[in-house]
Amino acid sequence: MPKRKLIPLPSAAFQILLALAGEDLHGYGIMRHVAEQTDGRMRLGPGTLYSSIQTLLEAKLIEQIEPREDAGPGTARRRYYRLTSAGRKLARSEAERLADLLRVARSRRILRGEYV
Amino acid sequence: MSEKIYTWLLRLYPSRFREAYGEEALQLVRDRCRDEKGFLPRLRLWLDLLSDLALSVPREYFHVQPELTAHLRSDCGPSLLVLEDESLGRGALLCGGVLALAAAVSFSFLLNHGVKQVPLSALIRPARGAADHRSSSSAAQLRERGGDSQERGVRRTTGQPPATANSSPPDAVAPSNPEAPRTLDRPRPSVERSLEASHVPRTSRTDANLDRAERQRVVDRAVANLKRHYIDPHVAQKMADALVEHEKNGDDDAAADGQGFADLLTRQMRDVSHDRHLEVLFSEAPLPERPPAPPGFTARYRKALEEANCTFEPVRVLPHNIGYLKLNSFPDVSVCQHTAEAAMASLNHADAVIFDLRDNRGGSPGMVMLISAYLFDHPEYMYNPRENTTEESWTRSPVPGNRLADKSVFVLTSGRTFSGAEHFSYDLKMLKRATLVGETTGGATDVGTFHRLDDHFGIGIRETTAINPYSEPDWAGIGVQPDVTVKAADALEMAVRLAESKLQKK
């Protein structure tokens, strides 16, 4: 039984990293951000979300932080997650890899538009 | 509603996931339920949840915790992979307990009912016809060499040499066949062969050639033995006179064959003395001068006994906690004391006991006393017509730790119950300690000491003086009457019924 791998980075994990790049979020926040940034195409279910979070935590790509003090009632028990520097680095390298792919796609005229 | 269903669905995840994220996952569903109202959004929510479940549950089960993988990677030999790190739940314990119980119950059921018991004879008999290196096979061969009538004749006497009279006669019992030790009394093959070689006059006789001279010789020697050994000289003289008288009158001429002649003489003696322990015996094969055990016989006998678990069949506990012990002989105490004690110990917690003596051809009085001791809480006198009354005639009761002294006892008998087994049955019946169920016993007349008269005739004379304390005569020649008469084959069933009804009354 192999440990779950992050190479290649699963798209759910990448989306989570991207969602956390802007601000620290709790689980539901991540889910909503991911839905937004994918125009509603990726709605992470709780199982996928939290198993991805777990994997990312184990790889120290994200970390869990104490609940924010300004959190209102009902949010007290929620755990918030923050991107680590390693996570940011990995997200960037993944984005660059995708950018490279995009360039290749455009050079092959599969995709129109300007080079990024 | 959705929340409740999802709470239930969460159980599909491994416990470590539920512990870490269950609450948060539920919170997420709660949040979505709160935010996504209406039919379509709710439908979409459930599609999301179910597809998520289908994908992530299997993945979670394949996900190994980091410390475990680290452990597996180290080269420290084989290790067990613990999938669940929480302690066992009540449900799992209950389920495991029930399964273990069912396994134990079915195993014991199989032991008691399903697995056919292998008869002891089957363990020993295979040696028969094989190389003669086991006592049982030599015993079998001896038995085959001896003719039927010899078997009949010799079987009915202890045949112990006078020199060992009154010492506990090993008068029965081999593991393979209860009669085998009686081969002690029989001609050994070597003797027999040498006798056959010399032809006259010591050949195996046919019944036809019983002549007047031999009859005369047999009568003379019988008279001499009676006068020398019979306990009452006055009666001995009267019997001797009768024998001589009949011989002179030509009453014996009617006896054409050896067996007939022996029976005739027996009748003549009993007519005078009314002593059923007196008997003239005929053997078709020549009787040896002395009947010593062949060299090594005792060792082989002991070994065969030990291998056959001393002819003790395993103790069974029947329904209603009725202990059942089938004794196929009363083997020598010196060899089998521990086996007997172990068998009685395993009967100790029974509420009633059945001794099955239907195939018991007798054995050592010491073993009869040893087993009887468990049935009394005080020393009890066990009358044995074959032995003078000594300290050994009282049971060594109570046996420490024994609980059978006040339990109901049933003894199963058949027409093949002989000798020592009759001793056991007779005394327990007379003492009202046991209920005998089955047939009248065989009525072995082996209470006398055997004296050789000539090559084919012998006489059994009882030389002991023990007085029968009971009004009913002992078993010699007539057997022991059961308390409840049924066919031997039905005896066990009947005894179980009796025991059950007795237990229910209590």
Side-chain angles (χ1 to χ4, degrees):
Chain A
M1 269 190 262
K3 189 185 170 187
R4 207 160 6 177
K5 284 175 187 166
L6 285 169
I7 300 168
L9 190 65
S11 64
F14 186 39
Q15 293 290 354
I16 292 169
L17 291 180
L18 290 179
L20 288 175
E23 56 179 322
D24 303 342
L25 295 167
H26 54 64
Y28 182 51
I30 294 172
M31 183 253 148
R32 296 217 13 204
H33 265 76
V34 169
E36 272 173 34
Q37 68 205 17
T38 58
D39 291 332
R41 281 193 305 274
M42 183 185 272
R43 293 183 305 277
L44 291 172
T48 312
L49 176 68
Y50 284 106
S51 70
S52 300
I53 286 177
Q54 190 181 20
T55 314
L56 292 168
L57 279 171
E58 281 164 14
K60 295 196 177 11
L61 299 174
I62 61 172
E63 60 189 352
Q64 197 178 312
I65 54 171
E66 293 303 309
R68 282 189 292 200
E69 285 178 11
D70 59 344
T75 58
R77 277 176 301 161
R78 297 186 189 212
R79 280 182 277 193
Y80 278 76
Y81 302 95
R82 173 187 288 166
L83 199 61
T84 62
S85 54
R88 194 171 293 274
K89 225 165 115 184
L90 183 77
R92 187 183 298 134
S93 69
E94 179 69 8
E96 283 166 357
R97 189 182 66 84
L98 290 173
D100 282 345
L101 274 177
L102 193 61
R103 268 194 293 276
V104 172
R106 283 186 171 140
S107 71
R108 296 286 185 273
R109 311 208 175 234
I110 287 174
L111 195 65
R112 284 190 190 182
E114 290 179 17
Y115 288 91
V116 196
Chain B
M1 182 61 188
S2 298
E3 199 183 313
K4 270 185 191 161
I5 296 173
Y6 193 73
T7 309
W8 188 80
L9 287 175
L10 259 179
R11 290 165 166 266
L12 294 173
Y13 286 96
S15 61
R16 61 171 186 277
F17 181 84
R18 284 203 310 271
E19 273 166 26
Y21 299 107
E23 188 53 42
E24 282 190 77
L26 201 62
Q27 182 62 46
L28 189 141
V29 173
R30 249 181 247 136
D31 289 341
R32 281 191 71 173
C33 285
R34 191 191 59 223
D35 293 346
E36 301 169 27
K37 291 212 162 90
F39 178 73
L40 279 179
R42 199 45 74 84
L43 187 71
R44 195 182 59 185
L45 166 64
W46 272 106
L47 281 176
D48 282 354
L49 288 179
L50 290 177
S51 58
D52 172 57
L53 213 68
L55 286 173
S56 61
V57 167
R59 207 162 48 206
E60 272 308 314
Y61 276 100
F62 279 98
H63 178 66
V64 182
Q65 286 175 306
E67 62 266 31
L68 281 174
T69 46
H71 181 63
L72 284 174
R73 248 180 257 123
S74 66
D75 297 324
C76 57
S79 60
L80 292 173
L81 187 65
V82 182
L83 290 177
E84 293 282 337
D85 45 5
E86 64 182 16
S87 61
L88 290 172
R90 263 189 222 157
L93 282 176
L94 191 76
C95 188
V98 167
L99 279 175
L101 224 104
V105 166
S106 54
F107 184 65
S108 64
F109 179 82
L110 278 178
L111 270 185
N112 282 334
H113 302 282
V115 184
K116 189 173 179 292
Q117 281 184 3
V118 181
L120 286 163
S121 50
L123 295 175
I124 304 289
R125 286 259 167 82
R128 185 173 181 159
D132 183 11
H133 62 279
R134 290 177 61 171
S135 66
S136 53
S137 84
S138 69
Q141 285 177 358
L142 279 173
R143 198 163 50 249
E144 280 159 6
R145 280 167 186 275
D148 264 353
S149 58
Q150 181 211 7
E151 175 141 338
R152 212 176 129 213
V154 179
R155 190 184 65 212
R156 289 159 59 189
T157 183
T158 56
Q160 54 183 320
T164 60
N166 292 339
S167 65
S168 303
D171 63 344
V173 220
S176 62
N177 183 317
E179 290 176 35
R182 289 170 191 276
T183 53
L184 275 170
D185 311 330
R186 291 185 197 151
R188 282 170 290 148
S190 59
V191 174
E192 195 175 337
R193 270 196 295 279
S194 67
L195 292 179
E196 279 164 2
S198 65
H199 292 295
V200 274
R202 311 181 76 178
T203 50
S204 287
R205 63 170 306 135
T206 56
D207 291 341
N209 58 1
L210 179 67
D211 56 25
R212 192 182 176 88
E214 182 166 15
R215 287 208 300 266
Q216 184 69 53
R217 190 167 67 236
V218 170
V219 169
D220 287 349
R221 290 188 184 167
V223 165
N225 272 292
L226 280 173
K227 285 181 178 167
R228 194 182 319 150
H229 299 295
Y230 197 71
I231 40 174
D232 186 336
H234 181 64
V235 178
Q237 185 59 54
K238 274 165 70 176
M239 284 192 289
D241 292 346
L243 287 177
V244 173
E245 188 73 20
H246 283 300
E247 171 66 18
K248 271 186 188 158
N249 294 347
D251 297 340
D252 299 346
D253 297 346
D257 57 29
Q259 188 60 52
F261 182 52
D263 290 346
L264 186 66
L265 293 186
T266 302
R267 268 202 308 280
Q268 290 169 0
M269 292 190 299
R270 288 187 186 171
D271 284 346
V272 179
S273 65
H274 306 290
D275 183 350
R276 287 173 300 102
H277 302 128
L278 262 175
E279 181 172 42
V280 173
L281 300 144
F282 170 74
S283 162
E284 191 174 330
L287 294 166
E289 291 287 342
R290 286 177 73 85
F297 182 90
T298 313
R300 290 207 306 271
Y301 169 63
R302 291 176 74 108
K303 189 163 172 283
L305 256 187
E306 280 162 6
E307 282 174 3
N309 193 36
C310 288
T311 74
F312 279 55
E313 292 195 6
V315 166
R316 281 162 53 192
V317 179
L318 307 176
H320 302 275
N321 198 26
I322 299 168
Y324 172 83
L325 174 58
K326 187 161 195 290
L327 285 170
N328 291 340
S329 76
F330 287 91
D332 201 326
V333 177
S334 67
V335 186
C336 297
Q337 182 177 353
H338 294 301
T339 311
E341 285 169 355
M344 293 312 291
S346 50
L347 277 176
N348 202 22
H349 292 279
D351 290 330
V353 180
I354 296 175
F355 291 102
D356 188 345
L357 306 185
R358 287 176 292 179
D359 292 319
N360 191 316
R361 305 297 295 249
S364 135
M367 184 57 78
V368 171
M369 297 306 287
L370 190 149
I371 291 177
S372 304
Y374 287 84
L375 307 180
F376 300 100
D377 57 6
H378 58 276
E380 187 58 77
Y381 177 67
M382 296 277 283
Y383 167 66
N384 182 0
R386 294 178 291 190
E387 295 194 354
N388 288 321
T389 304
T390 64
E391 210 177 301
E392 303 297 312
S393 305
W394 274 266
T395 61
R396 300 196 174 192
S397 311
V399 180
N402 171 52
R403 299 162 48 149
L404 297 175
D406 59 345
K407 301 287 159 55
S408 300
V409 175
F410 296 85
V411 176
L412 310 187
T413 57
S414 78
R416 299 180 309 280
T417 304
F418 266 103
S419 185
E422 297 184 283
H423 175 202
F424 186 78
S425 310
Y426 177 81
D427 276 277
L428 291 186
K429 182 189 173 186
M430 290 300 126
L431 291 163
K432 300 197 183 338
R433 181 63 189 89
T435 307
L436 270 54
V437 182
E439 297 168 346
T440 302
T441 62
T445 51
D446 54 3
V447 291
T449 303
F450 181 79
H451 301 278
R452 190 177 183 277
L453 295 178
D454 77 349
D455 289 343
H456 299 282
F457 289 90
I459 186 168
I461 301 175
R462 180 188 164 198
E463 296 171 11
T464 54
T465 55
I467 293 164
N468 189 342
Y470 307 113
S471 56
E472 199 172 304
D474 66 60
W475 61 87
I478 53 171
V480 186
Q481 291 280 338
D483 297 304
V484 179
T485 307
V486 290
K487 275 187 192 155
D490 304 327
L492 177 57
E493 198 184 328
M494 174 60 85
V496 167
R497 276 223 301 274
L498 291 170
E500 282 172 1
S501 67
K502 212 162 189 176
L503 288 174
Q504 274 162 8
K505 274 180 204 161
K506 275 186 181 176

